[in-house]
Amino acid sequence: MNRTVLVTVHTGREAAVDSARLVIRRLLGAGLRVRVLDGEAGEIGAEGVDVVPTEPSAAKDAEVMIVLGGDGSLLRSAELSRPTRTPLLGVNLGHVGFLAEAEVADLADAVDSVVAGRYDVEERMTVDVLARQNGNVIADTWALNEVSVEKQERMLEVVAEIDGRPLSRWGCDGVICATPTGSTAYAFSAGGPVVWPEVEALLMVPISAHALFARPLVVSPRSTLAVEILPDTPGGVLWCDGRRRFDLPSGSRVEVRRGAEPVRLARLHGVESTGAPFTDRLVAKFELPVQGWRGRVRP
């Protein structure tokens, strides 16, 4: 049986394209089939690969999808991998890279781990999103990191709702509904808590709210979150993972609930700087001071 790997890359970065060529050479040399997207094939210029359209069918029957870039590249790739449940393996060529599994310095080892099958697959919770105005559906989509209802020009007047019950009215710049995976992204910048990825929960984080009660909320993964833009107030805009945008007229309602399909991420074995506990990732990505730590008390 032929093993197939889909390789995608941030082609706007020369270093990323060079890395993609290295990945492709190692995979082909190990006897694996390699696919690349039609919009990237010309710049990569690799021989011996299968060029496929940039659509979800590109990942069909692929064992894994290797993504070279930053978190934005991985979020883009998740749009292709989620329908086929293909695991994503991110190689960080960006800045923070919380979603990535490997750094570019570990690229060869990461590819060798894929060839040898030394990886596990974990599922990351997503959210499904439905927006309506006057009962008409104006958006039906999903997100891995977060959904944000944001102002376009002037401050929004919204009512937040949890499980069909009104919580509070806020004058604000917006509201973020995030997954644990997205807790270190936009929600973090807005003052939300860091939630470990294995925790099943939904977050609601107001953005610059003018209200006495406007704290970040962590609720059950079985809950339904809703944000209503009040009538006779300015409309807003809906963003999903910072990629998919929808206009929200005055009076719109956005509902967010646990997604029906997760996004699957590959986690490597035996690569020193990858597969680390989430605590270690936080320390490394945010360069947190841990000097003086003496570790657990040993018996």
Side-chain angles (χ1 to χ4, degrees):
M1 179 178 177
N2 288 325
R3 300 170 63 197
T4 301
V5 176
L6 173 60
V7 177
T8 183
V9 60
H10 188 315
T11 54
R13 298 178 180 176
E14 185 177 349
V17 174
D18 290 340
S19 295
R21 292 169 181 156
L22 183 150
V23 168
I24 291 168
R25 286 197 300 270
R26 292 185 81 92
L27 291 171
L28 291 175
L32 278 66
R33 296 189 64 176
V34 178
R35 295 177 190 163
V36 298
L37 301 175
D38 55 2
E40 301 171 0
E43 193 154 350
I44 295 172
E47 296 182 358
V49 301
D50 299 324
V51 179
V52 294
T54 306
E55 55 189 39
S57 62
K60 185 178 180 181
D61 299 326
E63 179 180 323
V64 70
M65 184 174 179
I66 298 178
V67 183
L68 298 110
D71 280 349
S73 298
L74 202 139
L75 290 170
R76 173 175 63 90
S77 298
E79 296 174 0
L80 302 179
S81 72
R82 184 178 183 243
T84 58
R85 297 180 59 82
T86 305
L88 293 171
L89 174 63
V91 179
N92 182 36
L93 302 177
H95 299 291
V96 179
F98 255 105
L99 292 170
E101 176 63 6
E103 300 296 325
V104 67
D106 303 306
L107 183 56
D109 288 341
V111 176
D112 290 346
S113 292
V114 171
V115 171
R118 295 194 303 268
Y119 63 90
D120 296 318
V121 176
E122 70 177 38
E123 294 188 344
R124 291 293 182 91
M125 179 178 160
T126 60
V127 289
D128 288 336
V129 189
L130 193 66
R132 295 187 179 92
Q133 186 201 26
N134 297 327
N136 298 317
V137 174
I138 56 177
D140 186 356
T141 184
W142 69 282
L144 171 59
N145 269 356
E146 77 278 309
V147 177
S148 60
V149 176
E150 301 179 40
K151 69 177 184 180
Q152 293 205 63
E153 297 179 358
R154 292 184 291 149
M155 184 175 66
L156 291 175
E157 288 287 340
V158 304
V159 172
E161 173 192 301
I162 309 292
D163 292 328
R165 303 301 304 162
L167 176 72
S168 185
R169 174 173 172 167
W170 295 322
C172 59
D173 286 351
V175 181
I176 300 167
C177 299
T179 66
T181 298
S183 71
T184 51
Y186 193 5
F188 178 82
S189 300
V194 174
V195 181
W196 266 237
E198 61 267 25
V199 175
E200 294 193 339
L202 293 171
L203 285 69
M204 178 179 278
V205 182
I207 307 171
S208 302
H210 295 253
L212 291 176
F213 181 82
R215 310 302 301 170
L217 307 173
V218 181
V219 304
S220 165
R222 296 179 297 278
S223 290
T224 298
L225 313 182
V227 179
E228 293 185 352
I229 300 177
L230 296 181
D232 302 321
T233 63
V237 59
L238 171 68
W239 283 100
C240 295
D241 286 338
R243 291 188 47 78
R244 296 178 296 283
R245 181 188 188 278
F246 305 87
D247 287 332
L248 294 175
S250 176
S252 297
R253 173 185 174 86
V254 177
E255 296 179 352
V256 178
R257 53 178 55 83
R258 182 175 188 155
E261 288 290 340
V263 166
R264 307 177 81 219
L265 300 181
R267 294 304 187 201
L268 301 175
H269 305 168
V271 178
E272 183 177 351
S273 65
T274 60
F278 185 69
T279 305
D280 293 351
R281 289 175 181 254
L282 282 178
V283 171
K285 299 298 185 181
F286 290 141
E287 300 181 353
L288 302 179
V290 293
Q291 294 85 356
W293 180 68
R294 298 180 66 185
R296 295 173 301 189
V297 176
R298 304 290 180 179

